[in-house]
Amino acid sequence: MGLLTDPRAGSGKIIKFLLKWERPLCGLLYISGIVWILLLALPTFNDNTYFSENALLPGLVTKESNLEQTAKQYYAYLVNEMKRHPDGMPYAWLAAKLNQLHLDVFTHNFTLVYPFQELQFTGQNIYGIIRAPRAASTEAIVVSVPFRPIHSIYLDTAPSVALLLAFAKFCRKQKYWAKDIIFLITEHEQLGIQAWLDAYHGVTSGNEGVLVSGDLPGRAGSIQAAINLEIHSTRVSYIDVKIEGLNGRLPNLDLFNLAQNMIAKEGIRQSFQRRFDIKYKNKFKNWSYHFNTLLMMIMTQATGVPTGNHGLFHRFGIEAITLEGFEKAGHQSGDENLYQVGCIIESIVRSLNNLLERFHQSYFFYLLPSTDTYISIGLYIRSLVLIIAAMFVKAFSMWQKLQPNKTTDDKKDNESNSMDDKKNGESNSDKKSVKLNSTKDEKSTGLSSTGNKKIRFNSAEDEKTVDVKQKDDGFDIGVIASEILWAHICGAVITTSPSALTYLGKKMDLRTEDSMFFGFLAISVLTLIYPFYSRSQMRYKNAILVCVIGLIEFGTVLMCIAMHNFSLALLTAVLYVPVILPIAPKQNSTIFHKTLSLTWILLHPFVIANLVVMSYTYMNFSSDSILSILYRGHRATKQAFVYSIMDSMIYGNWLYNVTVSTMLPIWLLFWKILCSNSVVHSEQLCK
């Protein structure tokens, strides 16, 4: 704060350096941040994974399970039951099988109240609990599977359910469990697990009255960890470990290392982001491969959408991962494959059973370029800091340029006066008389000194007019506050607009997704013409201060987002910062200014969402015709808007809220600066 308030700060060497080299320095900081991101995939910036929590004792577990035959029997029976219930979950059969194993079996009912059309959907979860024989049921481990009917659009999980039942049968006979084990089969994908977790902890994670979780008839101890199974075949060629959770949260790195270690120990190929570890002799190819894996993790984490049911455990302080098993096309695996998968599950659960306390020693913030290396937060956060620093340097430079640099001018005047006095041999009394005489002359002749200039007044009214103009050279706090306030009010209103948009769409017989899309399209048009129906003219100093506040707010928002979801903050900074840095109040229209304005329109949140979905559609359906890609992309965009809003209301995903309530107001502030014709006063022109 001293640099901002001390009038002598402008005379410092560092300040002069920043003012002189502001643009090159900002560009250098941004480029350095990008280069730092590229360097993260190099082996020099990676550390090999290791176990920080020695209590896991993964190497001392002696596997005793043989789930192969039991799992196959359960799988055959389950497939027959699923054919009898092609669109639902065979509740009675699953509950009966768990009861036969002498578990404490309970059912959990939940309801989803669709907020836009007053529809209700019901679901049911089934879970069984093995009480710990060697403890007082104070801690628990969850093994969960999402049940998917035959007609589901997702990959089959019937082998996972069969494996869970076989593992439950094995665990029931063992006496060394120190923690309760909960075997959970959920319905409706993430809705079921979210309702179960809310009911288990007695909370509501989303909006009140949307997901009614109900009550649980039975509970176990405090959940320490969870393993979610998504085995799609009885012949598993490789297992992909998923870690990304809600709002970009990650599990403790020790749990990920444990899963990868156990998978490799059983001889099954492990992967991350559906990519295997490949070591190329060519250093550039090796870097490129690892960087692509790193980039895929960043893009997945930035969405804030969980990659599996495990992602909803993290908000409750429960470390969880998903093991997804795939059968490689054309691969003929042996019958012993299910035996290996069962051994992996047993090894992980028994290692978790050894824990004496919650995971706390390893990293919770990290990036993964491969399955056996990681990048800690101390390394990757620097790239974002360098990019954000460019905005703060520009904000500080713009603020300093607005400050009157009187100290340096007065010092120069005093030095010149003293030199003249020495030459002329004048005394101090002579100086005073000269000053008095000059003051009298100014009053008698109507001259007033303004810096190095003199203005002649014809009358007293002219003198008052000039004095008023000089006082007006300050900031209009009311104008600045109103610009910032109205931008953020628009963001808050748009955040709560989906209910109103669907209500209007219902009157026009539009579907929910059409109501959302065309509503946001109309809102986007209104934001684009916002500077033209508001006051289009802003004084230079006011526009500069609004720009400074926008830069500081944007940098602060990015740092706050990075504390929860680094990937989202990084992608946003990489995309917006190079366009924000050249933005300044306009005095005349140039080709560069028009290009900058067009680029800023393309960075409107609504436009960005459409471009991202269209690009993703093109990547997946590149062989289709252009019209087909546009149609697919349009449908996907409409659905994406609905899903993002529903995720916010049900799960508490704040991607939509952050984008509309913070990013959109900041976009509006800079758009107003680009479109406003700033009035430059004589003070700025003289500078």
Side-chain angles (χ1 to χ4, degrees):
M1 289 302 295
L3 291 176
L4 295 177
T5 56
D6 188 358
R8 296 172 295 176
S11 60
K13 293 182 179 179
I14 297 178
I15 307 303
K16 290 180 179 178
F17 175 81
L18 291 177
L19 294 176
K20 183 178 180 181
W21 302 100
E22 170 209 338
R23 292 185 179 179
L25 182 60
C26 290
L28 179 63
L29 287 171
Y30 178 79
I31 294 173
S32 300
I34 299 297
V35 172
W36 192 272
I37 298 170
L38 299 176
L39 294 176
L40 289 177
L42 291 175
T44 307
F45 290 82
N46 303 161
D47 292 323
N48 293 326
T49 55
Y50 62 93
F51 287 100
S52 298
E53 184 56 80
N54 294 324
L56 287 169
L57 301 174
L60 299 182
V61 174
T62 302
K63 296 174 286 297
E64 302 174 358
S65 65
N66 187 352
L67 310 182
E68 178 188 347
Q69 296 301 325
T70 308
K72 285 184 176 181
Q73 292 176 3
Y74 280 128
Y75 178 71
Y77 295 147
L78 179 59
V79 170
N80 292 330
E81 286 294 323
M82 291 174 64
K83 290 179 180 178
R84 294 173 57 188
H85 305 84
D87 297 320
M89 182 173 169
Y91 309 106
W93 186 87
L94 292 171
K97 292 302 178 183
L98 291 173
N99 275 310
Q100 290 174 5
L101 300 177
H102 304 289
L103 275 64
D104 295 340
V105 182
F106 307 96
T107 58
H108 168 235
N109 299 308
F110 62 92
T111 303
L112 173 67
V113 181
Y114 194 68
F116 302 129
Q117 293 183 354
E118 299 179 355
L119 299 176
Q120 290 189 1
F121 303 91
T122 59
Q124 191 175 71
N125 300 322
I126 296 176
Y127 63 102
I129 303 174
I130 293 179
R131 304 294 179 180
R134 300 181 59 183
S137 295
T138 56
E139 297 177 342
I141 302 170
V142 173
V143 180
S144 67
V145 173
F147 182 86
R148 294 169 183 169
I150 294 177
H151 293 164
S152 174
I153 61 174
Y154 302 104
L155 295 176
D156 182 28
T157 56
S160 303
V161 178
L163 202 57
L164 179 141
L165 294 173
F167 184 60
K169 184 177 181 179
F170 164 78
C171 293
R172 187 68 183 85
K173 301 176 183 179
Q174 310 306 317
K175 301 299 181 184
Y176 47 69
W177 299 116
K179 295 177 174 61
D180 295 343
I181 304 179
I182 304 173
F183 298 93
L184 174 63
I185 304 173
T186 61
E187 192 177 16
H188 299 315
E189 298 297 326
Q190 295 179 8
L191 285 175
I193 200 73
Q194 181 64 61
W196 189 86
L197 285 170
D198 284 352
Y200 196 91
H201 296 90
V203 299
T204 301
S205 300
N207 292 3
E208 290 286 345
V210 178
L211 183 60
V212 182
S213 58
D215 297 322
L216 287 184
R219 284 182 173 81
S222 174
I223 302 174
Q224 305 293 301
I227 305 297
N228 183 58
L229 302 178
E230 293 185 12
I231 309 300
H232 305 307
S233 174
T234 56
R235 299 178 181 179
V236 178
S237 299
Y238 67 95
I239 295 179
D240 190 70
V241 182
K242 296 182 176 181
I243 58 174
E244 293 84 3
L246 183 69
N247 295 327
R249 296 187 182 185
L250 300 173
N252 190 276
L253 187 57
D254 271 347
L255 183 57
F256 175 81
N257 296 338
L258 174 65
Q260 295 289 359
N261 187 285
M262 294 298 103
I263 295 170
K265 191 175 182 180
E266 293 302 323
I268 296 181
R269 201 173 187 186
Q270 74 265 35
S271 68
F272 176 66
Q273 297 294 333
R274 304 284 298 273
R275 294 167 65 87
F276 309 108
D277 289 345
I278 300 177
K279 305 295 182 182
Y280 291 98
K281 293 182 179 179
N282 186 296
K283 291 184 178 180
F284 178 77
K285 285 186 177 180
N286 195 51
W287 168 85
S288 176
Y289 186 83
H290 287 87
F291 178 75
N292 288 333
T293 305
L294 177 66
L295 186 61
M296 289 182 67
M297 179 184 176
I298 290 175
M299 296 177 66
T300 303
Q301 187 185 18
T303 62
V305 178
T307 53
N309 284 2
H310 71 279
L312 300 173
F313 284 87
H314 299 159
R315 62 147 49 102
F316 299 99
I318 303 169
E319 310 310 318
I321 58 173
T322 289
L323 303 180
E324 187 172 15
F326 296 92
E327 179 183 8
K328 190 175 181 180
H331 180 74
Q332 298 296 326
S333 180
D335 292 338
E336 72 280 4
N337 193 255
L338 270 184
Y339 166 78
Q340 295 171 313
V341 178
C343 290
I344 292 170
I345 299 171
E346 181 197 358
S347 301
I348 294 175
V349 175
R350 289 188 63 180
S351 296
L352 295 174
N353 185 62
N354 294 333
L355 278 178
L356 302 176
E357 52 190 345
R358 289 183 177 273
F359 285 99
H360 67 283
Q361 294 201 34
S362 191
Y363 292 92
F364 289 92
F365 301 95
Y366 52 88
L367 295 176
L368 299 174
S370 65
T371 61
D372 57 355
T373 58
Y374 75 98
I375 306 167
S376 68
I377 186 174
L379 285 175
Y380 68 70
I381 197 66
R382 300 176 190 179
S383 58
L384 182 62
V385 170
L386 287 170
I387 296 174
I388 294 176
M391 291 191 295
F392 282 106
V393 168
K394 182 186 178 183
F396 181 73
S397 176
M398 296 179 75
W399 172 260
Q400 282 297 322
K401 289 177 181 178
L402 291 178
Q403 306 305 310
N405 197 4
K406 295 180 179 179
T407 307
T408 307
D409 295 339
D410 293 343
K411 187 175 180 181
K412 290 180 180 179
D413 292 342
N414 292 334
E415 289 177 357
S416 61
N417 290 336
S418 61
M419 292 296 294
D420 293 340
D421 294 344
K422 287 180 181 179
K423 289 180 181 179
N424 297 330
E426 295 179 351
S427 61
N428 293 334
S429 58
D430 294 336
K431 292 177 185 177
K432 293 180 181 179
S433 61
V434 169
K435 285 185 178 181
L436 291 173
N437 292 333
S438 62
T439 305
K440 291 179 181 179
D441 293 339
E442 287 177 1
K443 290 182 179 180
S444 60
T445 57
L447 295 175
S448 174
S449 61
T450 308
N452 295 326
K453 298 180 180 181
K454 290 188 178 181
I455 304 173
R456 182 177 296 275
F457 305 122
N458 296 326
S459 63
E461 294 179 358
D462 294 339
E463 185 175 357
K464 292 179 181 179
T465 304
V466 172
D467 290 338
V468 171
K469 288 183 178 180
Q470 289 177 354
K471 291 179 182 178
D472 287 342
D473 285 338
F475 299 112
D476 295 331
I477 302 300
V479 174
I480 297 170
S482 64
E483 292 291 344
I484 298 172
L485 182 62
W486 277 113
H488 287 81
I489 287 176
C490 289
V493 170
I494 297 171
T495 304
T496 59
S497 64
S499 298
L501 294 178
T502 51
Y503 176 79
L504 294 175
K506 193 183 301 183
K507 297 292 184 182
M508 303 170 64
D509 295 329
L510 294 176
R511 295 182 300 176
T512 301
E513 58 184 26
D514 293 326
S515 303
M516 294 287 188
F517 180 81
F518 292 115
F520 281 114
L521 179 61
I523 290 173
S524 301
V525 173
L526 290 176
T527 55
L528 288 174
I529 63 175
Y530 166 74
F532 303 103
Y533 60 79
S534 62
R535 288 190 300 175
S536 60
Q537 201 173 56
M538 192 187 304
R539 287 179 51 195
Y540 182 80
K541 273 194 170 183
N542 297 337
I544 286 289
L545 188 56
V546 170
C547 190
V548 169
I549 294 173
L551 288 167
I552 295 175
E553 181 183 4
F554 187 48
T556 306
V557 167
L558 288 180
M559 288 304 297
C560 293
I561 294 175
M563 295 298 101
H564 297 275
N565 191 341
F566 167 80
S567 300
L568 176 60
L570 179 65
L571 293 181
T572 305
V574 170
L575 200 60
Y576 279 85
V577 169
V579 185
I580 285 180
L581 290 177
I583 293 179
K586 173 184 69 171
Q587 286 87 48
N588 50 15
S589 181
T590 60
I591 297 177
F592 175 76
H593 185 273
K594 292 179 179 178
T595 305
L596 190 63
S597 300
L598 179 61
T599 308
W600 193 243
I601 291 175
L602 295 177
L603 292 180
H604 189 285
F606 180 82
V607 180
I608 282 285
N610 280 270
L611 292 176
V612 168
V613 175
M614 285 290 181
S615 301
Y616 185 78
T617 305
Y618 176 77
M619 291 172 59
N620 288 275
F621 303 97
S622 57
S623 59
D624 293 357
S625 62
I626 296 298
L627 292 178
S628 177
I629 293 175
L630 291 176
Y631 176 71
R632 287 178 181 269
H634 176 65
R635 287 188 58 189
T637 302
K638 293 191 293 184
Q639 293 173 358
F641 283 125
V642 177
Y643 289 153
S644 63
I645 296 169
M646 291 300 298
D647 284 351
S648 172
M649 302 178 75
I650 297 174
Y651 308 110
N653 188 332
W654 40 259
L655 177 64
Y656 166 76
N657 294 328
V658 168
T659 302
V660 178
S661 62
T662 60
M663 295 303 302
L664 185 58
I666 294 172
W667 186 92
L668 275 174
L669 289 177
F670 286 105
W671 179 239
K672 181 64 183 293
I673 293 170
L674 282 170
C675 295
S676 63
N677 295 313
S678 300
V679 179
V680 185
H681 284 269
S682 58
E683 182 181 342
Q684 282 76 34
L685 290 175
C686 292
K687 289 182 179 180

